[in-house]
Structures are given as C-alpha cells and as structure tokens.
Amino acid sequence: MKAIKLTGLLVSLLFLSMISGCSSVTIQDYKNAEPKLDLFDYFNGKTYAQGQFQDRSGLVIRRFTVDITGEIEGNQLTLDERFVYNDGEKQQRIWHITKTAKGSYTGRADDVIGEAIGESAGNALNWRYALDLPYKDSTIHVQFNDWMFLHSDKTMLNRASVTKWGFNVGEVTLFFSKEPL
C-alpha cells in the first residue's frame, strides 16, 4: 500500500514539475530591467546587424549581415533592412511599425503575413509574426517569436524561435549595433 502511495506521490510531483516547466516568460518579467528600450530611438538612423540561422539541431545553416536605416514620422517607424547572406544572396525587407500605445506596436512588411504584434517593457521587446520565407524554389509560412534585449545604448541582442505548425524549425540569433560591424 505504501509503495502505491509513494508511486502516486512521485507521479504527482513529476506532473507538477512538468506543468511549472511549461510556464513561459512574459514581457512584464523585464519591466524593471535596464537600460530601458525605446524601439523608435534605438532604430532611428543607421543600425548594423550580424546574425545566423540555426536548424532545430543547433547546426548553423546560414550567416548574414544587415544594414538598417530607420526613419520616424509621427507614431510610425520605417525600417529599411538590407540583408546579405554568406552565399551572396541579397534580400530587402521594409518594415512599417506603428506605436499603438506605450510599449505596444504593430508592424507590416511585404513578406509578413497579416500583422506583427510587439510589446516592450524594460530592456526587452517581444515581437511575433508570420513570415512567408523563401525556401528552395518556393516559400513556406513560419512563425517568428523574437525576443530583443537592449544591452547598451549601442547594442542589442535578438533571439528568435522559428516554428511551423507549432514545431520548432530553428532559431535566429542576431546582434545589433549602432556602429558599423
């Protein structure tokens, strides 16, 4: 009888630890983190980035650089991103980001499906969107969940999980700098 109770207790503890392990980080977890991120201030003018895409096993598949030019007009930030990949391919994405409330943003770009939604607090921004991503001779729709963290007034780190139908496809790691890299 004691063995059954002990087994039941162990199963319950395992279940509770799995549930608590599933809780996710929210943007409010960063509300007191410094330095404070102002998305428009950071991306106003020239910004440079280097990054890579890792597949779900962690293998680096592609590396890239990005030259970004940001312009603010009222409550809208336009970002002209110019990508150059290690295989020579070039891409351009132009974001139109609107500040909808303090710490809340929406965004559109030609290859973004629907609208991107962003929230910021403290030094962090969480940016979620679906992207029509070039793949082989076609495209695929994937979900991006970006987390950007301001480290200083000149540097920011971005980690993005990439999923398809809820399954992990890979991750993008990106380093932003206000100075040429």
Side-chain angles (χ1 to χ4, degrees):
M1 187 67 140
K2 283 188 175 187
I4 292 173
K5 286 184 180 181
L6 184 58
T7 303
L9 178 63
L10 289 174
V11 168
S12 296
L13 287 173
L14 179 62
F15 179 72
L16 286 173
S17 70
M18 286 177 16
I19 289 174
S20 65
C22 293
S23 63
S24 61
V25 175
T26 71
I27 195 66
Q28 290 307 311
D29 292 330
Y30 297 100
K31 68 183 175 190
N32 297 319
E34 297 281 340
K36 297 293 184 198
L37 171 62
D38 182 314
L39 186 67
F40 281 30
D41 282 347
Y42 186 80
F43 282 109
N44 190 27
K46 292 294 289 178
T47 308
Y48 308 90
Q50 291 181 335
Q52 61 188 29
F53 174 78
Q54 301 92 230
D55 68 12
R56 65 179 165 251
S57 74
L59 180 67
V60 175
I61 302 298
R62 287 186 102 180
R63 292 173 288 118
F64 55 89
T65 60
V66 192
D67 284 341
I68 306 164
T69 303
E71 294 181 6
I72 300 170
E73 188 173 317
N75 69 338
Q76 187 167 64
L77 169 65
T78 301
L79 292 179
D80 183 349
E81 300 177 327
R82 302 196 179 224
F83 295 81
V84 178
Y85 292 89
N86 60 304
D87 61 4
E89 181 184 352
K90 295 180 180 182
Q91 290 180 352
Q92 180 182 22
R93 177 174 300 116
I94 298 177
W95 281 100
H96 300 282
I97 300 170
T98 303
K99 189 182 298 186
T100 57
K102 182 178 172 136
S104 295
Y105 305 91
T106 59
R108 294 195 175 275
D110 287 344
D111 55 352
V112 171
I113 301 159
E115 191 170 64
I117 303 295
E119 291 182 277
S120 68
N123 74 329
L125 170 75
N126 181 220
W127 191 240
R128 295 171 185 248
Y129 55 96
L131 189 67
D132 189 29
L133 189 68
Y135 182 72
K136 296 186 180 177
D137 294 332
S138 185
T139 61
I140 59 170
H141 294 179
V142 294
Q143 301 293 320
F144 273 72
N145 183 7
D146 286 19
W147 281 91
M148 298 180 183
F149 300 96
L150 187 65
H151 284 242
S152 73
D153 63 339
K154 297 199 182 301
T155 60
M156 186 161 46
L157 182 66
N158 179 24
R159 290 188 62 200
S161 61
V162 184
T163 59
K164 173 84 174 157
W165 298 310
F167 294 100
N168 180 32
V169 174
E171 184 173 291
V172 176
T173 307
L174 194 58
F175 175 77
F176 294 100
S177 176
K178 293 305 287 181
E179 298 172 353
L181 299 170

